Amino acid sequence: MEWFTAPEYWLARQVLQRGTAAIYLIAFIVAARQFRALLGERGLLPIPQFLAHSSFRHAPSMFHLHYSDRFFSAVCWTGAILSAALVAGAGDRVPLWASLLVWLLVWAMYLSIVNVGQAWYSFGWESLLLEAGILAALLGNDDTATPVLVLWLARWLVFRVEFGAGLIKMRGDRCWRDLTCLYYHHETQPMPGPLSWFFHHLPKPLHRIEVAGNHFAQLIVPFALFAPQPAASVAGAVVVVTQLWLVASGNFAWLNWVTIVLAFSAIADSAAAAVIPLPPAPAYGAPPLWFVVVVVAGTAAIVVLSYWPVRNLLSARQRMNASFNRYHLVNTYGAFGAISRHRDEVVLEGTDDDELSEHTVWREYEFRGKPGDTGHRPPQLAPYHLRLDWMMWFAALSPSYAQPWLRTLLTRLLENDQATLRLLRHNPFPDTPPRYVRARLYRYQFSSWSELRREHLWWKRTLLGEYTPPVRLRGSRDGSARA
């Protein structure tokens, strides 16, 4: 079946499968380490409460069958172990049918987490990972050459990621059209990285070149992914390079890394061999009929489901990062249609004073990723994802984002809840919990060159006002405590 296979894309399959498995591994570890505070039985948005008001049809998840924190943890670590095995190449050491089943199991476990994850799992890269996971399953293993249909589907996914992001920018904020958005974006993005300060201080003409290059990479290059070789390989390489630029300039969890992995679907072995030495591809057998049927059926389903994202791309009211089905298959992507001109941050503080006065000393909680201490350099986190830190950025944009969970977060701080405190970088009350906590809103700006050199400050900030007034624990009728 020469029409079905593309033996000249051995490297593409290896990168797609092992890269996707590596990101699954990180995603499962993130879930295992953070879920108790965010989603557990005493979490900020408890899964049991969510399940009580949703159905399997509304949110397909194995946790409808049973939920406990211990079971959720077991699912996370099982997914991590299977993902690690796939990274190590286990999928090529088992029969083709077994490889397919393992990939589908990993996908189903992560889908189960995403569909009960509520606000903490509302990011576009969750859908992107799930969609990439299905394509990785359909790529097969060393028993047969890479299915050419799946390579086209992977390129179609890259196209939607890039072109969707480009369109939403051109339709959105005027600064994308006048090439000035990067005057602000490196400073105001959700999670700056260690190089973001330096990117922000580039000369403004370079910022304009950055934006123009972004438009070229997102609005022109994606069409070349479907061109004959070597044009497709060049387009794939451009996507890889521009995504690495985004990796260097900020922290966007695994969004950029999944896109890089998928871009290899356009890079032929002959093009890659001109840059790096490649081992010989294995001797492939003919694909079994059942596998051909599965791939063709999967391709047909994706073609049908593509109607909704295509309609969205053509719409003047384009949605960003939207799923059109509960299985997160064939989604639409794109972000930052609007760019914030200012960076505001919610800062949490506590005191152990029994009575509040003008002399009360407040001490700040420090988060692992989001700006707080003005002398703390922004860390490199991606592809790791700090979910609470990201939602705190949204909370600063509008209190409506924090309304479902902020009050509970303050309660957990008043209790010195260990699961919650493990999400933070510094707890100013390690021995006894605070008597009061509050939230204040600050405006943050990157420091100047002189302030960084002389005072070692990465940020400077100005108090805007109160975000949440001081609260303390009070007893409830059931004997528990709450703010």
Side-chain angles (χ1 to χ4, degrees):
M1 295 186 180
E2 293 184 1
W3 65 271
F4 182 76
T5 58
E8 67 276 17
Y9 286 89
W10 172 84
L11 177 65
R13 184 178 67 79
Q14 292 295 322
V15 173
L16 262 71
Q17 288 191 320
R18 300 199 189 200
T20 301
I23 297 165
Y24 264 137
L25 172 60
I26 294 169
F28 280 115
I29 292 174
V30 168
R33 290 174 56 86
Q34 300 181 26
F35 87 91
R36 289 186 188 275
L38 302 179
L39 294 164
E41 293 163 352
R42 293 192 74 249
L44 305 184
L45 295 174
I47 290 175
Q49 292 183 18
F50 174 80
L51 293 175
H53 297 92
S54 66
S55 64
F56 184 91
R57 180 179 179 182
H58 175 259
S61 172
M62 64 178 65
F63 298 116
H64 283 284
L65 302 176
H66 171 72
Y67 180 82
S68 69
D69 284 359
R70 181 174 295 182
F71 179 61
F72 191 99
S73 180
V75 169
C76 292
W77 289 116
T78 300
I81 292 169
L82 291 176
S83 299
L86 291 170
V87 172
D92 288 329
R93 297 180 178 90
V94 297
L96 180 58
W97 62 267
S99 175
L100 177 62
L101 289 180
V102 171
W103 276 106
L104 292 178
L105 178 59
V106 170
W107 173 83
M109 287 191 292
Y110 197 66
L111 175 71
S112 294
I113 294 171
V114 170
N115 278 345
V116 298
Q118 303 165 79
W120 313 112
Y121 280 79
S122 59
F123 304 98
W125 47 74
E126 314 294 357
S127 298
L128 181 59
L129 178 55
L130 288 168
E131 192 170 349
I134 285 294
L135 298 183
L138 295 176
L139 282 170
N141 64 6
D142 277 351
D143 287 355
T144 183
T146 307
V148 67
L149 292 176
V150 184
L151 292 174
W152 286 108
L153 295 178
R155 297 183 200 184
W156 169 230
L157 177 50
V158 177
F159 180 91
R160 280 182 281 126
V161 171
E162 294 282 19
F163 193 64
L167 279 183
I168 210 160
K169 290 180 177 67
M170 296 303 291
R171 289 168 169 160
D173 202 315
R174 180 179 177 181
C175 68
W176 288 116
R177 297 187 292 278
D178 63 23
L179 308 183
T180 61
C181 271
L182 293 189
Y183 291 1
Y184 322 100
H185 174 66
H186 294 305
E187 180 179 72
T188 63
Q189 63 181 304
M191 197 75 65
L195 298 180
S196 300
W197 187 96
F198 299 96
F199 276 88
H200 176 71
H201 286 290
L202 289 173
K204 286 186 175 180
L206 287 183
H207 284 315
R208 296 172 70 88
I209 292 173
E210 275 189 283
V211 179
N214 178 84
H215 292 333
F216 174 76
Q218 293 189 327
L219 295 171
I220 305 299
V221 170
F223 289 94
L225 294 169
F226 305 104
Q229 294 294 359
S233 292
V234 172
V238 170
V239 172
V240 170
V241 170
T242 54
Q243 291 295 318
L244 288 173
W245 182 270
L246 297 175
V247 168
S249 64
N251 288 292
F252 297 97
W254 47 80
L255 171 64
N256 308 119
W257 289 106
V258 179
T259 308
I260 289 169
V261 165
L262 290 165
F264 273 83
S265 62
I267 300 177
D269 289 352
S270 56
V275 180
I276 57 174
L278 294 181
Y284 299 116
L289 179 59
W290 68 265
F291 183 64
V292 175
V293 171
V294 167
V295 170
V296 170
T299 302
I302 290 174
V303 169
V304 171
L305 293 173
S306 292
Y307 165 77
W308 287 274
V310 168
R311 185 178 66 174
N312 181 69
L313 285 174
L314 298 177
S315 171
R317 297 183 178 181
Q318 179 189 359
R319 298 167 62 193
M320 66 178 186
N321 295 328
S323 295
F324 302 99
N325 56 80
R326 299 299 180 183
Y327 296 93
H328 296 265
L329 299 176
V330 199
N331 314 285
T332 191
Y333 303 97
F336 296 109
I339 294 295
S340 300
R341 269 49 171 187
H342 304 286
R343 179 180 201 91
D344 296 339
E345 288 289 346
V346 178
V347 175
L348 305 182
E349 301 174 332
T351 182
D352 48 17
D353 288 1
D354 291 328
E355 300 294 335
L356 300 181
S357 71
E358 61 181 9
H359 302 295
T360 295
V361 176
W362 293 91
R363 287 179 274 173
E364 294 184 16
Y365 290 88
E366 290 292 335
F367 285 75
R368 294 185 181 277
K370 90 175 195 67
D373 178 4
T374 55
H376 181 64
R377 184 180 65 178
Q380 179 60 47
L381 299 162
Y384 198 83
H385 182 25
L386 297 174
R387 299 187 182 280
L388 178 59
D389 294 58
W390 265 81
M391 288 306 297
M392 291 296 292
W393 180 79
F394 284 102
L397 295 178
S398 171
S400 62
Y401 287 107
Q403 191 275 330
W405 50 266
L406 182 61
R407 181 69 61 165
T408 306
L409 173 61
L410 297 178
T411 300
R412 296 294 178 262
L413 295 180
L414 288 165
E415 298 169 340
N416 259 5
D417 178 71
Q418 291 305 302
T420 301
L421 293 173
R422 278 193 289 270
L423 300 180
L424 306 180
R425 183 169 65 89
H426 172 64
N427 170 26
F429 304 94
D431 301 319
T432 58
R435 300 303 298 273
Y436 291 88
V437 292
R438 69 181 183 183
R440 307 183 93 189
L441 191 66
Y442 285 85
R443 175 147 298 165
Y444 275 67
Q445 294 175 284
F446 274 134
S447 62
S448 66
W449 284 95
S450 61
E451 288 167 329
L452 180 61
R453 282 197 309 268
R454 289 187 228 165
E455 304 172 57
H456 305 290
L457 293 178
W458 292 91
W459 299 97
K460 51 188 177 182
R461 70 183 189 180
T462 305
L463 178 63
L464 297 179
E466 189 174 74
Y467 188 88
T468 300
V471 295
R472 65 179 297 174
L473 287 180
R474 58 186 174 88
S476 64
R477 292 181 181 179
D478 62 4
S480 63
R482 61 187 176 215

